[in-house]
Amino acid sequence: MANVLQLIPDADTEELVYLHTLMEPMSNEQAGMFAAMYRSRRKESTSILMLTLVGFLGFAGINRFVLGQIGMGIAYILTAGFCGIGIIVDLVKHKKLTSEYNMRQAYEVANMMQSMGQL
């Protein structure tokens, strides 16, 4: 079993635990392939924070589009970020939003590898 922290050094604690669970049955080669695919899809919480701050400049919802939440992104655009309240909530929750997105991506990569017969 490969060391998750070595393969994905910028992951937070909750993410590391989840990735460890996903990568436990993988060989070192499979874990390396998984890590490469996952890193290409992974988002940084600081990037999401910056995109959320852009919402105060009149571009509300960009962070939601980047996180794959198209419907919420459109709702933010049409309502000016729910009159700014949604933007403030997203500022507080940016780490959680990013973590949820990253865990979804890890799950999708693991499933994709399994369907391709890589696991």
Side-chain angles (χ1 to χ4, degrees), residues 7-118:
L7 294 172
I8 307 164
D10 48 351
D12 62 19
T13 307
E14 183 181 353
E15 187 179 359
L16 284 173
V17 170
Y18 184 71
L19 291 173
H20 177 74
T21 303
L22 282 177
M23 295 170 70
E24 198 168 26
M26 297 179 190
S27 68
N28 285 341
E29 182 181 321
Q30 291 169 330
M33 185 185 314
F34 170 85
M37 291 171 67
Y38 173 66
R39 278 194 314 263
S40 70
R41 293 176 168 210
R42 187 177 181 279
K43 304 290 184 209
E44 290 291 330
S45 64
T46 53
S47 300
I48 300 304
L49 174 63
M50 298 313 257
L51 289 171
T52 304
L53 288 170
V54 168
F56 285 117
L57 301 175
F59 301 105
I62 292 177
N63 61 318
R64 295 295 184 144
F65 284 106
V66 170
L67 293 173
Q69 299 174 354
I70 307 303
M72 284 296 284
I74 292 170
Y76 272 47
I77 288 172
L78 296 175
T79 62
F82 299 127
C83 298
I85 296 170
I87 298 170
I88 294 169
V89 170
D90 283 359
L91 286 173
V92 173
K93 291 177 46 174
H94 76 278
K95 285 187 179 184
K96 183 177 185 201
L97 291 169
T98 307
S99 179
E100 289 171 354
Y101 173 84
N102 286 338
M103 285 192 270
R104 239 183 354 264
Q105 294 305 310
Y107 180 76
E108 288 178 13
V109 168
N111 280 341
M112 185 173 59
M113 287 181 64
Q114 189 172 21
S115 69
M116 291 176 11
Q118 298 295 324

